[in-house]
Amino acid sequence: SVRDLEEILEFLQEKLGEVEVHLVGHGFGGVVLMEALLRHQLWGQVAPGLPSNLHLPKLQSICLIGTPSSTGILRSESCKLLKEATKVAGRARAVEYFWHQHLNSGVSTLAEAYMTSSWQPWNHWVMRGWEMRREEVAQQYLLATRGVPFLSARGERDFVTNRCMEAWQGVGDAFA
């Protein structure tokens, strides 16, 4: 949650003496990070020359890895990829094929755990309806972060597709 993130950051500064942080959000951790930054203004509305939230370490950079900007688009893209897997591998092996294609990291126990799951992309959505639009990112990023460096990355065959991450391009728009 946003509050959990804030408590962790406070702990880093107050107990461990960390005065600067580089934040990395992976998957839905990146969703929480962007929600905290842009909508909850974790560092406050910080304009150049004004102090930010003093009980938090100074934000130095943000990196998102496979972080969707919309759970609706992620659901849609996942369903599309699962349909493609069904065409290739058949109904009985579609889920195994999907996980092998999109999450096989080479660690056999993790891959086996995913391949034996009964996952269906239209079930079990933790954050139904969450979305951040490119325009919102463009409008809020500089004020919320003072324009720290930003990187958004995904794996070549990640099921968090480019379409799922389109809104993060709003960071570049903010600097234009």
Side-chain angles (χ1 to χ4, degrees):
S1 76
V2 171
R3 181 66 193 133
D4 290 339
L5 175 60
E6 185 174 15
E7 287 177 0
I8 290 167
L9 292 166
E10 288 171 351
F11 176 82
L12 287 171
Q13 173 143 330
E14 294 170 5
K15 302 295 185 196
L16 300 181
E18 296 295 333
V19 295
E20 298 177 342
V21 291
H22 298 270
L23 296 179
V24 176
H26 181 256
F28 286 115
V31 167
V32 171
L33 173 56
M34 294 305 281
E35 178 78 15
L37 287 170
L38 303 184
R39 292 191 175 151
H40 294 265
Q41 288 144 9
L42 192 56
W43 271 267
Q45 285 284 342
V46 293
L50 297 177
S52 61
N53 196 333
L54 297 177
H55 69 284
L56 299 180
K58 182 180 178 187
L59 181 60
Q60 293 290 60
S61 68
I62 299 165
C63 177
L64 301 181
I65 303 169
T67 297
S69 59
S70 165
T71 57
I73 293 173
L74 177 64
R75 179 178 184 268
S76 170
E77 290 291 286
S78 296
C79 288
K80 183 173 79 174
L81 292 170
L82 187 59
K83 284 179 185 175
E84 291 171 9
T86 302
K87 287 178 186 175
V88 171
R91 188 176 193 91
R93 296 189 40 99
V95 171
E96 176 184 347
Y97 180 84
F98 175 92
W99 286 117
H100 181 74
Q101 289 297 304
H102 299 287
L103 288 176
N104 189 353
S105 64
V107 179
S108 61
T109 55
L110 178 61
E112 288 169 12
Y114 282 124
M115 285 186 228
T116 59
S117 73
S118 60
W119 178 83
Q120 298 293 322
W122 46 86
N123 295 331
H124 313 306
W125 288 94
V126 180
M127 302 175 74
R128 285 182 192 263
W130 183 88
E131 181 174 43
M132 194 166 280
R133 296 187 180 273
R134 184 174 181 161
E135 298 79 24
E136 178 183 6
V137 174
Q139 290 171 354
Q140 296 296 322
Y141 189 79
L142 293 177
L143 283 175
T145 68
R146 290 189 175 161
V148 300
F150 177 87
L151 172 67
S152 179
R154 60 177 281 280
E156 181 180 352
R157 296 188 320 185
D158 196 330
F159 71 93
V160 177
T161 64
N162 285 333
R163 182 171 170 244
C164 295
M165 298 169 52
E166 190 273 335
W168 306 141
Q169 293 176 23
V171 173
D173 299 345
F175 288 97

